[in-house]
Each structure stands twice: as C-alpha cells, then as structure tokens.
C-alpha cells in the first residue's frame, strides 16, 4: 500500500517547517498541534517558545504565520489569544486525502514500523468448571487486541492458559475410574451447542458427586490423593482419563466461545499442563542462580518492596514445602517458553487486576533470572470487575456467580426483540431477525466491555447495551445499516470524490474524523487500549448521524457531482465502521 499521511501529520510538518524557518534559534520545536473547536487545528507551541526565547508570543506567532503557505492544504491561519495558531484546512485537501484512503484496502492504515512478536495470554477457563461472567473480559479484550495488533503488522501468537492441572484432578479421575460412565453423552446426534451444554452438565454432576464422596469417605480421599501422585508421575491410565476431562471441557469451552462469535483454535490452547515438564528445571535454575532461596522448606523469591500486613516480606512461592509447584513455577516456565521458543518481544497478559502483584513479582523474578531481556516487554493488561446495576459484583438474585452462557443468551434474546420491533417495518425475514439478533446481542456485550477502559469496573446493564441511543454498539451498527440502505436506493448514482466542491460543516467534521482512523488504530495497538477505537467509532457514527440529518445525499441540491461526493463520504464511513467494528470482534448487519 501507499502510505497516506493524515491531515494532522501534514499540517504538523508544515508548522514545524515554518517554526524552523521563522525561529531558527529555537531549534527543532514541537508545534503542539491538536484538534480545535475554533478551527480545524490549533498549534500551541508559542507560549513555551516565547519563554524560552524571551519574546512576545503573539509577535513570534506572526513570524511563523508569515512562513506558512496557504493554498492547497491550509486555507486560513489566525493568531488568537497569547499566540495560538488557529488553522483551517482547504476543503480540497480534506477530500483528496480521504480519496487516497478510500483507494487503499486498509483505509490508509500503515503497518507499524517496528512490528515484533506478541504472545498474548487471554481467555483462560478452567477444566471441569463452568465459565462465568468473570471469564468475559479476558476473552473479549484479548480477542480484540489480537485483531488490532495483527492488523498493524504485529505477529501474534495466541495462548489460552487454561487451568488443566492440579490436585482436584486426583479426586475427579479416581471417581471416574470407579464410575466409568459419568462422562458419557446422552445422545450422539446432539448439535454443537447442545453437546457443549451436555458436556458441562456431565462435568458438573461428576464434580459434585466426587466432592461429596471426597468429603465423606476417608478411604476414597486417600485413593484420590494417590491418584494425584500417579498423574504427576505420568501414569498412562491416569493421563488418559485426565485427557478425557480436558477434551470434554473443550467441547463446552468451544460452544461458549462460539456463542461469543470468537475463534479459539485447538493449537492455541496450551494450559498449565503444557509446562509441566519444565517446572523442575525452572526451580533448579532459580535456586542455582540465587534468585530463589529456601525458606521453611519452600522455594521463594523475596522483594524489598513487597511486604505483608505484619511488615514482613511476602515472597513469591515457586515451590511449596511439600514439593508441589505454585502458579509462579508455571508462569515462569511459560515465560521461558514464550521468549526462548516463540521469540516473543512482548508478553501480553489479559488478566484480572487482582493478580497485579503476582505478575509484578513474576516479571521481576524472570528479569533477575535473565529470562526477560531488555528487548522483551512484559505487560499485564489488567481489567476491572463486571458489576451489576447496583454497582456490586454481578451476581444472580440467589447470590450465585452468573453463568456466561445465560448472560449471552439473555443478551441475544433482548437484542432479537429490539431487532424484531424495528425490522418488521423494513421487511426483515425471520431468518434475518434471528441472525441480526445474535449479532446485535453479542456485539452489545462486547462493546459494553470494550468501550470502557480495561482497568475500570463497568456495570452490566442489558437494557442500556441494546439501546439504539447513546454509546452502544447498536447505535453504531444502525448507522452502518442506514448507509447501506442509502446505497440500495441509489440507483445509477455512484460514489466519487470531488475535491473541487465546497464542503458543508457536517461534511467537514465527518471528513476530518474519518482521516483519524489510522492514527486511532495505531494508538489502540501501541497502548493496548481497544476502548480508544470504540470511542472513535461511536464519535464517527455520531458525526455521520449529524451529516445524515443536515445533508441530503441522493437529492443533494448541488446536482450529480454533489450526490457522488456525498455518496463517497457515505461509502468511506461505512467501510471505516465495518473495519473498525471487525477489529473489535463485532459484526455489522447490512439491514437493521
């Protein structure tokens, strides 16, 4: 693709060149350019430069203006206040730049200059346990970051670090040995969705039964504990039964991720068990290097700035005093594998903010051990809690954690009702209503999560999420569908850029925002901040709504050229909304 510099970048360079020509003694100065409600852009560098050079800011601004050419790009420059430069662009420059973006399949979004390899750890359910609302954010945020990073040219390696190892499997496996039909499906012809529900039902039933026996029967408890030893030792029969639990759980996991309209590939599922063979060596290397020391029989790493309530140091426990391995041993082994074998330059962990201290200690331990060099950046994309309308952690009326499948089903049900009410007016078929209801419902859940900064908690309010008004995915999806309806009614009229035309205020505002798409995508990628892309898309939909209300498209008063130019703005807006929403993992129905 041909690089398409943004209007902001072009203006910034023009002002920087003018600063160098007018004030060479200032050296290379940043124009401090930003969007403005007084003009298209405002450059605010003069105050700081006046202090540095000992001059009057308005006089210095006038010198800079004298060096700024007006014409093809800049239409008008005004000095205001203490030397602010208010810059208005030529309509021609706006349309030509947008035409260059439209000519590119990537909408002018360049690949990152220094793309590397990101290994992203997200969507981490636990084997033999039901997925709940707490699993939502890691999956949704992680999947969006995969799309955004890959679009900017980053090589992305997905890792789903499922919980598939630990002492509870001794209890489960022993019970399955003694009750061999507990994981049998009731029918062989169940749909994928039904088999997922059935798999979870079987796992839940087995877990409850084995736990009850474990708590009430001392002999079974002892047999279960011996089975843990067999599992850790690699006993064939025990491993085969453990694999059944993993496979059964995957049937369920994949059915939930399918509801979320999210692709989870089997090769990307590398759980805790995947690093089991490395744990002993990880501990040995840490102890031999002195990074970890024995304390009361446990292998620990201590930190000067991490202390408990009693004021004593709180260590990272890598190996327990009984010889068992803690989560830290697995996480450190994963770092060794991801850096050494996968070539990661960034390690991105999409995990709950409550694990921040754990990952801080794990990252520092890996640094001390030499497994994280200066060329590797570990990042915890920490996320907050999903809250109910009452502002408390989201629970059922009975106080239970909300099942993720129930939440998604309800979202689709609510959305389908909204689509049905609106869709019957435009002749949607029942199939379209059902399909759009799924896309709108799942999109609503994802967007509510992604439109909030990951670090913040957010309230789960389905009524608001599926609303056609306000900052919702439905509002954006509706804006897209509205554009598609214009093209269905356009007849022979086609979109074509006409730089020679004068733009209405709503056209200018829409065009200037369209030009910020590439910048926004790269900002979201660099800072791991999908909420910035969500905010951009909502603003774009809002500006389009204003444009639609104020500017006739197919009956434009300026004749065929203006019809074509406005269709061009509509087309570029639709493509940008479609691409941007896809990067967030949200579909855009053609009719809504």
């Amino acid at each position: 693709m041909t690089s398409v510099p943004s209007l902001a970048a072009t203006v910034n360079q023009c002002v920087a060149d003018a600063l160098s020509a007018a004030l060479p003694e200032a050296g290379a100065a940043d124009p401090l350019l930003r969007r403005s409600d007084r003009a298209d852009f405002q450059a605010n560098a003069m105050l700081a430069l006046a202090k540095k050079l000992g001059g009057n800011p308005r006089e210095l601004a006038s010198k800079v203006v004298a060096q700024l050419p007006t014409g093809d790009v800049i239409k008008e420059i005004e000095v205001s206040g203490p030397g602010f430069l208010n810059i208005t662009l030529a309509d021609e420059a706006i349309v030509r730049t947008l035409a260059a973006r439209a000519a590119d399949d990537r909408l002018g979004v360049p690949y990152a200059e220094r793309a590397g390899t990101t290994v992203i750890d997200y969507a981490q359910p636990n084997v033999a346990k039901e997925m709940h609302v707490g699993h939502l954010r890691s999956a949704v945020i992680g999947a969006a970051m995969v799309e955004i990073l890959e679009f900017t040219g980053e090589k992305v390696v997905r890792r789903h670090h499922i919980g598939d190892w630990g002492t509870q499997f001794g209890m489960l496996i022993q019970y399955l040995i003694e009750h061999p039909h507990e994981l049998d499906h009731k029918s062989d012809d169940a749909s994928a969705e039904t088999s997922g529900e059935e798999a979870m039902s079987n796992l839940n039933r087995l877990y409850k039964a084995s736990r009850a026996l474990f708590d009430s029967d001392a002999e079974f408890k002892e047999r279960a504990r011996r089975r843990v030893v067999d599992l850790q030792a690699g006993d064939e029969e025990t491993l085969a039964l453990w694999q059944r639990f993993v496979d059964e759980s995957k049937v369920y996991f994949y059915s939930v991720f399918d509801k979320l309209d999210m692709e989870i590939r089997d090769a990307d599922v590398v759980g805790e068990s995947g690093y089991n063979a490395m744990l002993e060596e990880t501990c040995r290397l840490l102890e031999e290097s002195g990074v970890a020391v024995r304390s009361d029989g446990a292998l620990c790493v201590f930190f000067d700035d991490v202390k408990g309530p009693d004021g004593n140091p709180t260590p990272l426990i890598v190996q327990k005093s009984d010889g068992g391995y803690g989560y830290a041993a697995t996480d450190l082994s994963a770092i060794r594998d991801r850096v050494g074998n996968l070539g990661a330059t960034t390690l991105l962990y999409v995990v709950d903010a409550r694990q921040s201290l754990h990952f801080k200690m794990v990252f520092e331990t890996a640094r001390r051990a030499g497994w994280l060099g200066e060329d590797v950046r570990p990042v915890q994309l920490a996320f907050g809690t999903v809250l109910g309308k009452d502002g408390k952690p989201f629970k059922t009326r009975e106080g239970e954690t909300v099942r993720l499948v129930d939440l998604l089903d309800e979202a689709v049900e609510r959305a389908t009702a909204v689509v049905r009410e609106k869709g019957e007016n435009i002749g949607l078929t029942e199939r379209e209503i059902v399909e759009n209801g799924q896309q709108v419902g799942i999109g609503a859940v994802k967007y509510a999560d992604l439109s909030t900064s990951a670090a913040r908690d957010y309230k789960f309010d389905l009524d608001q999420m599926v609303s056609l008004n306000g900052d919702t995915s439905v509002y954006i999806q509706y804006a897209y569908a509205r554009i598609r309806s214009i093209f269905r009614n356009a007849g022979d009229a086609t979109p074509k850029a006409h730089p020679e035309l004068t733009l209405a205020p709503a056209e200018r505002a829409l065009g200037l925002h369209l030009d910020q798409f590439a910048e926004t995508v790269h900002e979201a990628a660099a800072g791991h901040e999908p909420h910035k892309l969500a905010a951009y898309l909502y603003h774009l939909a809002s500006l389009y709504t204003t444009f639609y209300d104020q500017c006739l498209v197919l009956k434009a008063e300026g004749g065929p050229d203006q019809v074509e130019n406005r269709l061009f703005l509509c087309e570029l807006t639709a493509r940008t909304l479609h691409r941007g929403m896809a990067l967030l993992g949200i579909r855009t129905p053609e009719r809504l």
Side-chain angles (χ1 to χ4, degrees):
M1 62 159 283
T2 302
S3 180
V4 183
S6 68
L7 291 163
T10 300
V11 173
N12 194 74
Q13 188 60 55
C14 287
V15 178
D17 292 343
L19 280 169
S20 297
L23 307 170
E25 65 274 25
D30 185 346
L32 301 179
L33 191 76
R34 64 175 180 82
R35 289 296 307 278
S36 171
D37 56 3
R38 295 178 179 273
D40 294 331
F41 294 98
Q42 188 176 83
N44 298 333
M46 305 317 299
L47 270 177
L49 287 175
K51 288 182 180 179
K52 178 180 177 181
L53 302 176
N56 180 293
R58 284 187 66 91
E59 291 178 2
L60 295 179
S62 296
K63 290 183 179 180
V64 174
V65 169
Q67 296 292 329
L68 270 170
T70 56
D72 290 345
V73 177
I74 297 175
K75 177 183 178 182
E76 186 177 80
I77 309 164
E78 176 197 26
V79 178
S80 69
F84 297 136
L85 301 183
N86 291 329
I87 302 168
T88 301
L89 300 186
D91 290 348
E92 180 181 349
I94 296 174
V95 178
R96 287 195 186 283
T97 299
L98 295 182
R101 292 200 177 284
D104 175 36
D105 288 341
R106 293 174 52 83
L107 299 172
V109 180
Y111 290 106
E113 291 182 6
R114 297 182 180 178
T117 297
T118 293
V119 176
I120 178 169
D121 190 324
Y122 71 108
Q124 313 105 340
N126 294 306
V127 165
K129 292 185 180 178
E130 198 151 28
M131 291 179 69
H132 53 76
V133 67
H135 292 108
L136 179 65
R137 300 208 72 185
S138 177
V140 170
I141 296 169
M145 282 313 310
V146 167
E147 296 297 328
I148 292 169
L149 289 168
E150 285 188 333
F151 189 62
T152 58
E154 186 81 354
K155 178 184 176 182
V156 178
V157 180
R158 301 160 175 81
R159 279 293 175 266
H160 305 296
H161 192 83
I162 63 172
D164 65 350
W165 203 251
T167 55
Q168 77 272 21
F169 285 99
M171 174 185 79
L172 291 165
I173 292 168
Q174 188 59 38
Y175 189 85
L176 188 58
I177 287 174
E178 298 174 13
H179 303 81
H181 301 296
E182 281 295 312
L183 284 184
D184 292 345
H185 285 297
K186 294 177 183 176
S187 61
D188 293 326
D189 59 348
S191 67
E193 183 174 335
T194 303
S195 68
E197 289 286 339
E198 196 172 314
M200 195 64 247
S201 175
N202 290 339
L203 289 167
N204 272 338
R205 184 175 63 252
L206 189 146
Y207 184 87
K208 290 176 180 177
S210 63
R211 169 54 69 180
L213 191 59
F214 186 87
D215 291 340
S216 62
D217 186 330
E219 291 183 0
F220 174 78
K221 180 182 289 189
E222 181 56 32
R223 293 196 299 275
R225 285 175 171 165
R226 288 199 301 270
R227 186 61 58 181
V228 175
V229 177
D230 293 339
L231 177 65
Q232 293 175 339
D235 174 70
E236 272 190 36
E237 180 193 20
T238 305
L239 279 176
L241 291 170
W242 166 82
Q243 189 64 52
R244 280 198 67 189
F245 278 104
V246 174
D247 292 342
E248 194 81 0
S249 296
K250 283 182 178 180
V251 171
Y252 164 68
F253 295 160
Y254 293 169
S255 73
V256 177
F257 288 126
D258 188 56
K259 281 182 184 287
L260 266 171
D261 193 17
M262 188 178 296
E263 182 189 24
I264 300 292
R265 300 184 301 222
D266 206 58
D268 302 327
V269 179
V270 183
E272 295 168 352
S273 64
Y275 308 100
N276 193 52
M278 299 176 66
L279 301 183
E280 183 180 349
E281 183 182 39
T282 294
C283 291
R284 177 178 60 78
L285 292 171
L286 288 172
E287 190 168 15
E288 287 179 356
S289 65
V291 172
V293 296
R294 294 286 171 181
S295 178
D296 295 328
L299 186 63
C300 304
V301 182
F302 288 91
F303 308 86
D304 293 337
D305 58 341
V306 182
K307 297 181 180 179
D310 57 2
N312 293 323
T314 299
L316 179 71
I317 300 175
V318 184
Q319 187 176 29
K320 303 170 189 176
S321 57
D322 64 1
Y325 298 103
Y327 288 121
T330 303
D331 287 331
L332 288 165
S333 297
I335 287 175
R336 290 176 56 208
D337 175 64
R338 293 169 183 182
V339 175
N341 296 326
L342 300 179
T345 52
T346 299
L347 298 172
L348 184 60
Y349 294 82
V350 189
V351 291
D352 195 308
R354 288 170 293 189
Q355 298 185 49
S356 294
L357 179 59
H358 169 78
F359 277 98
K360 176 185 175 182
M361 293 193 290
V362 165
F363 294 159
E364 176 58 25
T365 299
R367 287 270 189 230
R368 294 180 186 179
W371 302 330
L372 274 180
E374 293 302 317
D375 57 340
V376 182
R377 183 169 64 118
V379 179
Q380 182 194 357
L381 206 175
F383 55 80
T385 303
V386 181
L387 306 175
K389 290 183 181 180
D390 57 2
K392 298 178 181 178
F394 199 19
K395 302 283 185 181
T396 64
R397 290 180 180 178
E398 295 74 29
E400 299 294 324
T401 301
V402 178
R403 295 197 327 154
L404 185 51
V405 289
D406 292 341
L407 181 151
L408 298 177
D409 286 343
E410 185 178 358
V412 170
E413 184 181 330
R414 296 273 193 97
T416 302
V418 172
V419 171
R420 187 178 302 280
E421 180 184 350
K422 299 290 182 183
E424 288 176 348
N425 297 329
I426 61 171
L428 288 184
T429 65
E430 181 63 21
R431 179 178 178 179
E432 286 177 313
I433 289 171
V434 171
E435 185 176 305
N436 288 358
Q438 291 175 330
Q439 294 180 8
V440 170
I442 298 304
V445 171
K446 289 182 176 181
Y447 185 84
D449 193 315
L450 295 168
S451 60
T452 303
S453 172
R456 294 177 56 190
D457 300 340
Y458 79 96
K459 292 182 181 180
F460 195 93
D461 182 347
L462 272 177
D463 291 329
Q464 174 57 29
M465 289 178 185
V466 299
S467 172
L468 285 166
N469 302 309
D471 187 3
T472 66
S473 64
V474 193
Y475 179 79
I476 300 171
Q477 289 168 321
Y478 186 69
Y480 175 81
R482 176 182 276 173
I483 299 172
R484 302 315 308 164
S485 71
I486 289 175
F487 280 94
R488 285 193 293 273
N489 296 318
D492 294 333
T494 56
K496 182 180 178 182
H498 285 275
E500 73 279 4
L501 294 180
T502 299
L503 298 178
E507 291 177 293
R508 289 180 58 83
L510 180 62
L512 287 167
H513 192 68
L514 281 167
D515 187 54
Q516 293 179 314
F517 181 59
E519 176 186 330
T520 303
V521 170
H522 278 280
E523 191 176 349
H528 305 122
E529 298 171 303
H531 71 278
K532 291 188 175 180
L533 177 56
Y536 169 88
L537 295 171
Y538 171 62
H539 191 190
L540 178 58
S542 300
L543 289 170
Y544 181 78
T545 300
T546 302
F547 162 82
Y548 182 84
D549 291 341
Q550 296 181 5
C551 302
L552 294 173
V553 178
L554 299 180
K555 296 181 180 180
E557 61 281 359
D561 286 356
Q562 192 172 59
V563 170
E564 290 180 343
N565 199 58
R566 287 181 175 175
L567 280 174
F568 162 72
L569 288 173
C570 288
E571 181 186 51
L572 185 56
T573 300
R575 288 175 58 195
T576 305
L577 289 174
H578 179 75
R579 172 73 77 178
M581 291 289 268
L583 292 177
L584 297 180
I586 300 173
R587 296 184 186 271
T588 43
E590 294 290 305
R591 299 207 302 162
L592 194 60

